[in-house]
Amino acid sequence: MAYELSTSTDIYYFFSIVTVVASILLLYGFNVSAPGNNFINWEYLGDLFRFVDPYLLAGLGVAMAIGLSVLGAAWGIFITGSSLLGAAVKVPRITSKNLVSVIFCEAVAIYGVVVAILLATKTEVVVPGEDGAYPYGAKTGGYAIFGSGVVCGFANLLCGVCVGIVGSSCALSDAQNSTLFVKILVIEIFGSALGLFGVIIAVILSAHAKF
């Protein structure tokens, strides 16, 4: 129970940090000194999205796809691996069977690697126009790759945590009652399939990326 509370607290802190960083980036586009009631400088925000380099957006998408996926896999392996090794001290027989949980967590990182390679092959350098703006097709491709990386990364991050927690429970339950292994393994398989949903959407979304 104490470990589950610690894991929930870690997840809470992670999303709190993400929320704070996103809020700071959003406030960066606010113009507090704008005259009248125009608290938000919409023209500045438009320029921010109009003149951003599509190659930068594509690079961020690739980085988030592989980075968040590896983070989710490492987090899941940490959760299930520590429980597995701790329980194996008393019940060594659970070690070989419950390595499946570690493999499921590692598969989450493989999802991210595959999507990151796919997105990287679609990325191209784009030359801006005379006014400094980039072509609409290039911006569409940049945002498509960025969105694909975000979808795949966060889906695999949460999938890795899910598989890690279920795998930890599977190892502890198997140590007490070996007949529960197959039943909990089915739940773990369904949890591992969640990452595939993000991969499928990322592949479909990246199909629109044409620089």
Side-chain angles (χ1 to χ4, degrees), residues 54-103:
Y55 192 82
L56 172 63
L57 291 174
L60 290 175
V62 174
M64 294 187 71
I66 181 63
L68 293 177
S69 298
V70 171
L71 176 60
W75 204 341
I77 293 175
F78 163 71
I79 295 173
T80 188
S82 57
S83 298
L84 173 60
L85 294 177
V89 174
K90 292 292 185 181
V91 190
R93 63 172 176 80
I94 70 171
T95 305
S96 58
K97 290 193 299 182
N98 285 274
L99 286 178
V100 178
S101 301
V102 179
I103 296 175

Side-chain angles (χ1 to χ4, degrees), residues 147-171:
S148 301
V150 171
V151 169
C152 176
F154 278 104
N156 288 332
L157 172 62
L158 298 179
C159 176
V161 175
C162 173
V163 174
I165 295 176
V166 176
S168 174
S169 302
C170 182

